[in-house]
Amino acid sequence: MAQAEQYLQDALAAFDFGGEVVGAVRYGSGHINDTFCVHTQPGEEPCRRFILQRISSAAFHHPDQVMANIAGVTSFLGKAIAAVGGDPGRETMTVLPTRDGRSFYSDSEGGAWRVYPFIEGTVCLQAAETPELFAASARTFGRFQRMLKDYPADTLYETIPHFHDTEDRLSKLKAAVEADVMGRVKDVQPELDFVRKREADCSVALQALREGKLPLRVTHNDTKLNNVLIDRDSGEGICVIDLDTVMPGLSINDFGDSIRFGANHSAEDERDLSKVNFDISLYEVYTQGFLEGAGGALTQAELDYLPWGAKLMTLECGIRFLTDYLEGDHYFRIHREGQNLDRCRTQFKLVADMEEQWEAMKAVVDKYR
Ligand code: ADP
Ligand code: GN1
Ligand code: MG
């Protein structure tokens, strides 16, 4: 048996799925973790499904801290959801413990594996198929923000230090250019010029934080549309997933990362940039939904800075894709050569579009604040 398959089998054996496991297949399109969908056949009962994940060791150096955060946040959310008559089994993730009662299993190579019950009857979208679905995701992320308003932030580990520290991301890009380990710097001069012209932008949100204008909150930090599950029948957002990066952060970044990914009609790695356009009407739909979900939890300064959240998360993500391209693609999973450069280019195209529509972006926030 191949080594990877052996690790998978060992991981499966570490959990009690309540029935015989009849399959474990690769699942989803996340860029970071190795995700499998596990099926069981417990006697006469219908098949049950689970999500089994090997946490990326390239991204997360302390899986125990990741799981401590997730256990804390999911149990907090579970209680809050139950208190308002909701269904914690569907509206938050639940960690399935290992047979020996731990939140994850470590394989002999140090890889960390965890399991969540599969939340059935939901869809996970790669693009905003309709404005209504995008609005549903916005309300769900806004609500997530509001529900974690009173979570004790000082109990959370920083699972990836400097995660949305855009100044640090810029420094790491410069270091990658300096090292040029793959000899790719010669091919990315237009992209490096694009960043050079926006170096000062990288400090805008961090400066506002340092000056005390923007508060540090408990945030998700990875609010892509495919990190929310939507009820298949009602089209309503049900559950925020991918909680690996829940840690203290800026609310404008949670808003902004959703805009980056969802307020356009193209894939993140689209090669034909003529198809990549920031859609201000989707931005408006999301703004309305996010503010409705957040239910007054944001300060006036946070509202003022929402357009910056959108622009900075998009610029920062482009910088991260470019850095990974220069370093040899060891962070974001790729399926073809050059994919991280293609991803970088879509992000920079979206940034340029946002700059052109900056006044309109501010006006949208003013309309719904
Ligand atoms: P990554 O960090 O690699 O993006 P995710 O935690 O987002 O990993 O999981 C990858 C995909 O697996 C998700 O986009 C979603 O389709 C699916 N998924 C994850 N957790 C669940 C769950 N509890 N129920 C149903 N689907 C899930
Ligand atoms: C990664 O894990 P996933 O695929 O949901 C990344 C995000 C990026 C995103 C870009 C832990 O998200 O920060 O914005 O790719 N997650 C981590 O698509 O680095
Ligand atoms: Mg994900």
Side-chain angles (χ1 to χ4, degrees):
M1 195 184 290
Q3 188 70 275
E5 176 62 22
Q6 185 62 55
Y7 286 139
L8 173 62
Q9 292 307 324
D10 292 347
L12 286 168
F15 295 88
D16 179 2
F17 295 96
E20 188 196 344
V21 171
V22 291
V25 289
R26 285 245 170 213
Y27 192 80
S29 40
H31 296 336
I32 303 296
N33 297 310
D34 288 323
T35 302
F36 301 85
C37 181
V38 176
H39 305 242
T40 68
Q41 194 66 58
E44 301 297 301
E45 299 294 314
C47 162
R48 287 181 67 199
R49 297 197 289 174
F50 297 83
I51 289 288
L52 167 69
Q53 287 179 318
R54 184 179 192 278
I55 301 172
S56 164
S57 54
F60 300 102
H61 300 161
H62 300 285
D64 52 330
Q65 298 184 353
V66 171
M67 292 312 293
N69 281 1
I70 292 178
V73 166
T74 52
S75 77
F76 180 91
L77 289 175
K79 284 181 205 136
I81 290 162
V84 295
D87 176 356
R90 283 198 96 218
E91 294 167 38
T92 178
M93 307 276 270
T94 314
V95 178
L96 183 84
T98 60
R99 290 181 190 274
D100 57 3
R102 289 157 44 89
S103 60
F104 66 98
Y105 160 76
S106 291
D107 66 31
S108 55
E109 212 184 35
W113 299 75
R114 47 122 188 265
V115 172
Y116 301 112
F118 196 101
I119 301 175
E120 298 289 353
T122 58
V123 289
C124 176
L125 302 174
Q126 301 309 320
E129 286 167 11
T130 65
E132 290 74 22
L133 289 168
F134 198 42
S137 77
R139 287 191 293 274
T140 313
F141 281 125
R143 194 165 64 229
F144 184 84
Q145 175 94 145
R146 179 165 48 81
M147 287 173 77
L148 289 177
K149 199 167 173 282
D150 298 321
Y151 191 82
D154 55 351
T155 63
L156 285 171
Y157 293 103
E158 204 179 351
T159 53
I160 301 182
H162 301 289
F163 190 57
H164 284 319
D165 178 339
T166 315
E167 292 169 347
D168 187 62
R169 296 295 185 179
L170 178 64
S171 307
K172 285 178 174 146
L173 173 63
K174 289 179 179 173
V177 170
E178 193 64 34
D180 195 15
V181 288
M182 305 296 290
R184 291 174 169 176
V185 167
K186 62 181 182 332
D187 307 325
V188 299
Q189 288 309 317
E191 289 73 25
L192 292 173
D193 282 344
F194 187 92
V195 176
R196 248 175 239 124
K197 291 193 184 108
R198 290 160 183 83
E199 283 199 13
D201 289 349
C202 294
S203 298
V204 169
L206 293 165
Q207 191 56 27
L209 174 67
R210 287 191 283 261
E211 288 169 3
K213 285 189 196 153
L214 293 176
L216 211 51
R217 296 184 183 276
V218 174
T219 49
H220 182 278
N221 296 304
D222 189 3
T223 49
K224 291 203 283 198
L225 183 61
N226 62 14
N227 284 333
V228 61
L229 300 178
I230 295 184
D231 186 84
R232 183 174 287 143
D233 297 327
S234 69
E236 258 315 311
I238 291 293
C239 181
V240 173
I241 62 169
D242 204 346
L243 305 178
D244 297 333
T245 50
V246 172
M247 53 187 162
L250 297 178
S251 61
I252 64 164
N253 290 345
D254 273 6
F255 171 83
D257 200 35
S258 296
I259 298 300
R260 172 191 81 72
F261 188 81
N264 65 81
H265 299 278
S266 54
E268 194 176 56
D269 60 354
E270 174 61 57
R271 294 163 101 162
D272 178 355
L273 291 183
S274 72
K275 292 186 186 153
V276 181
N277 300 300
F278 170 60
D279 183 336
I280 188 88
S281 64
L282 284 177
Y283 170 85
E284 174 161 356
V285 159
Y286 194 93
T287 304
Q288 184 179 17
F290 187 77
L291 296 187
E292 190 185 319
L298 304 185
T299 65
Q300 292 304 314
E302 286 174 299
L303 295 170
D304 289 342
Y305 276 85
L306 287 178
W308 273 109
K311 176 171 160 179
L312 286 174
M313 282 299 93
T314 315
L315 179 63
E316 181 191 279
C317 200
I319 290 174
R320 293 173 63 197
F321 288 141
L322 183 56
T323 306
D324 201 33
Y325 175 70
L326 294 180
E327 291 180 341
D329 308 299
H330 56 65
Y331 187 90
F332 295 106
R333 182 179 299 118
I334 54 165
H335 307 281
R336 64 166 188 265
E337 186 77 3
Q339 194 172 9
N340 274 321
L341 181 56
D342 295 335
R343 289 172 176 153
C344 159
R345 288 177 172 153
T346 63
Q347 302 308 292
F348 289 173
K349 172 63 171 51
L350 292 171
V351 169
D353 282 3
M354 288 178 197
E355 287 170 347
E356 274 177 22
Q357 303 197 53
W358 196 241
E359 292 310 314
M361 287 173 75
K362 290 201 286 193
V364 165
V365 175
D366 289 341
K367 184 170 164 189
Y368 295 101
R369 65 193 303 161

